[in-house]
Amino acid sequence: MDLISRENPARVAEIVGSVPVTDPAAVDAAVRRADDAFRGWSGLPVAERVAALRRGADTVAARLEELAPLLARESGKPLADSRGEIGFAVAFLRWVCDEAPAVLAATEIDDDAGRLVVRRKPYGVVGCVTPWNAPVILAMLKLGPALAAGNTVVLKPSPLAPLTITEVAAALPAVQVIHGGAETGRALAGHPLVRKVAFTGGDAAGREIAATAGAMITPAVLELGGNDPAVFLPDFALSDADYERLVMASFATAGQVCMAAKRLYVPRARTAEFTEAYLAAAERVLVVGDPLDPEVTMGPVISAAAAARIGALVAGATGGTATPLGRSAPGHDPASGYFVTPYLVTGLDDHAPLVAQEQFGPAVPLLAYDTEEEVLVRADAGELGLAASVWSADEERAFALAGRLGAGFVFVNTHNRTGMSLRAPFGGVKRSGYGREYGKEGLLEYVQSAVVHAPAAFRPGGPGMAPGAYPGGVHDEPPRAAGAVRPPP
């Protein structure tokens, strides 16, 4: 049996664990088992499904201190962040359990126009393909709503972080986990019994998943990348704590977050002031080292390839000045793993790759601007539109600009996870994907409307309608004598 062995990106000689590769025949078997289980799971009242999910949430919560070090070791995410991610996934699942009964309830109208019932019905088997950078919460955003709605799920996590999410998924009902790379993902997304696909990841993989699902006319939810701008209006007023939060908005998880602050746009007249305060904040809060060290706030990147790619972006930032940020933890050995020095880069133009591309790593460009209209155009440049932020002492002014930005989610006076809300739907526009997670919209992604309708005209005692009539009396066909023949058109 082929195995995926996962190394610790902070100590690359250490193998954290392994999982078996699921070949296409085994993918087929897993999907068929999920399809067999669908009728029983979907047939349960929503209250029973929710109760089972609550028990799963309790099981994961009870194991948090056991699972957090495993997540830190396989992903390079600092221990405190690993605890936070698992705890947040539990909180999200419990929120789904609270909200699902009302959101998924059927609605009925019985009035002079007739009787109309709209039910929320699950799709069937949902195939989920999830990434490595936040493997627990990004899977739970799919598992919770899909399962509460009555779907069964086959989950394929990233081979770069398969261990913790496999343990978490085992606590939930109606879920099967498979493992592998692109071949396994294609077999899942293209399976004829998979009725919906949910994917979070990069642009290239997203295109392949969408094409594979589309060939089967299978609907999908895609949450892809973003090159997210943070726009500071001329009246911005940031405290030391605000600057610290801003630093972590770019460098949490070593910058490997789809909604991280990836471009900082600052009024030209205030760039010196901003830079000085930003560097000081980074010195206070950005500590690089082994994720299991409780003082560390930034660990390694996920792989040697990621480290090389980010290094090349920084090295290629010609014409700019790259200033290293933060400090190393005592005793830290950068050569032990895939560690990348975090940088603030100034002096680049908008065409530099570090600005124009999603860097997905610990290097962020600071860009000066002169007018609000100018920064709006520059912030919206490119094909991605996941998230953005606007910072201002005047909330109304911030909201006004935020409403003009081409992003699916705009934070005001914060950025990244500190600006999220369980009730707020999240997703991208342009090439950053489609569909939504979080909020009631995230629950409704996993159901279809199924309608039963008795128009008033055809209920007992109703007047009926002419055979060719349109509803609502629009251009009703005039009555015809029995046996009359309509002339050809």
Side-chain angles (χ1 to χ4, degrees):
M1 177 185 293
D2 292 335
L3 294 176
I4 296 169
S5 294
R6 179 58 194 150
E7 65 190 2
N8 182 338
R11 296 191 296 273
V12 295
E14 175 191 328
I15 300 300
V16 182
S18 61
V19 293
V21 174
T22 310
D23 63 27
V27 174
D28 175 68
V31 173
R32 292 184 184 279
R33 287 193 299 272
D35 186 61
D36 289 342
F38 169 67
R39 184 175 295 276
W41 177 247
S42 63
L44 294 175
V46 66
E48 291 188 29
R49 295 198 299 265
V50 162
L53 293 176
R54 287 192 192 279
R55 291 192 293 271
D58 292 344
T59 297
V60 175
R63 297 185 61 196
L64 190 149
E65 291 303 322
E66 170 194 354
L67 294 172
L70 177 62
L71 179 57
R73 290 170 61 223
E74 70 169 325
S75 70
K77 189 188 296 283
L79 186 57
D81 285 354
S82 296
R83 289 192 188 99
E85 179 180 334
I86 297 169
F88 184 57
V90 169
F92 174 76
L93 181 55
R94 289 171 172 160
W95 180 87
V96 167
C97 292
D98 290 341
E99 298 294 320
V103 173
L104 301 176
T107 59
E108 181 169 352
I109 301 172
D110 193 341
D111 59 15
D112 291 345
R115 184 179 178 187
L116 173 65
V117 176
V118 181
R119 293 186 174 88
R120 309 290 191 183
K121 291 199 171 183
Y123 282 88
V125 179
V126 175
C128 299
V129 180
T130 55
W132 49 263
N133 59 326
V136 177
I137 183 56
L138 292 178
M140 192 63 77
L141 291 176
K142 300 158 184 58
L143 294 174
L147 294 169
N151 303 280
T152 53
V153 175
V154 179
L155 169 68
K156 191 203 85 65
S158 168
L160 292 175
L163 305 174
T164 312
I165 185 54
T166 298
E167 294 289 322
V168 169
L172 303 179
V175 179
Q176 295 181 76
V177 181
I178 60 176
H179 294 287
E183 181 184 32
T184 306
R186 282 192 296 269
L188 178 60
H191 197 288
L193 292 177
V194 169
R195 303 304 184 191
K196 186 148 193 177
V197 171
F199 172 82
T200 298
D203 173 77
R207 289 172 187 269
E208 184 170 356
I209 289 287
T212 302
M216 302 301 296
I217 320 180
T218 303
V221 177
L222 301 180
E223 198 262 89
L224 306 179
N227 191 13
D228 307 56
V231 178
F232 298 84
L233 292 178
D235 66 343
F236 75 86
L238 274 62
S239 66
D240 287 349
D242 292 330
Y243 276 106
E244 292 170 4
R245 184 159 33 89
L246 175 62
V247 167
M248 296 312 299
S250 291
F251 295 100
T253 316
Q256 301 166 119
V257 179
C258 60
M259 59 183 176
K262 299 186 178 81
R263 294 175 287 156
L264 310 179
Y265 289 93
V266 181
R268 193 175 306 278
R270 300 190 65 184
T271 55
E273 164 201 347
F274 181 97
T275 303
E276 180 181 3
Y278 190 92
L279 295 177
E283 185 69 19
R284 293 191 299 272
V285 301
L286 199 55
V287 182
V288 180
D290 191 297
L292 295 179
D293 182 338
E295 301 301 316
V296 163
T297 59
M298 193 188 107
V301 297
I302 194 66
S303 66
R309 178 184 57 79
I310 297 158
L313 278 175
V314 174
T318 54
T321 300
T323 303
L325 299 175
R327 51 196 165 87
S328 291
H332 169 54
D333 177 12
S336 65
Y338 306 128
F339 290 94
V340 175
T341 300
Y343 286 101
L344 178 70
V345 184
T346 56
L348 297 178
D349 64 36
D350 288 359
H351 301 292
L354 189 65
V355 177
Q357 300 175 15
E358 180 188 19
Q359 67 271 41
F360 214 68
V364 64
L366 189 157
L367 305 151
Y369 74 89
D370 294 302
T371 70
E372 190 170 315
E373 291 303 314
E374 169 207 342
V375 76
L376 180 66
V377 172
R378 292 171 64 191
D380 271 349
E383 293 193 326
L384 301 180
L386 185 60
S389 63
V390 180
W391 303 66
S392 172
D394 181 343
E395 186 175 278
E396 291 303 318
R397 184 178 183 185
F399 267 74
L401 181 63
R404 300 174 67 195
L405 285 169
F409 197 110
V410 182
F411 308 98
V412 171
N413 289 327
T414 193
H415 199 122
N416 207 331
R417 66 188 183 214
T418 57
M420 300 299 291
S421 170
L422 296 175
R423 69 180 184 177
F426 182 87
V429 297
K430 299 192 285 187
R431 302 293 184 191
S432 287
Y434 43 79
R436 292 296 180 263
E437 296 183 320
Y438 295 99
K440 68 179 182 180
E441 290 84 353
L443 269 163
L444 293 174
E445 289 286 356
Y446 294 95
V447 289
Q448 303 173 91
S449 297
V451 170
V452 180
H453 184 217
F458 304 108
R459 301 183 77 184
M465 293 172 66
Y470 284 88
V474 179
H475 302 298
D476 282 349
E477 180 184 275
R480 291 182 286 123
V485 178
R486 179 182 298 169

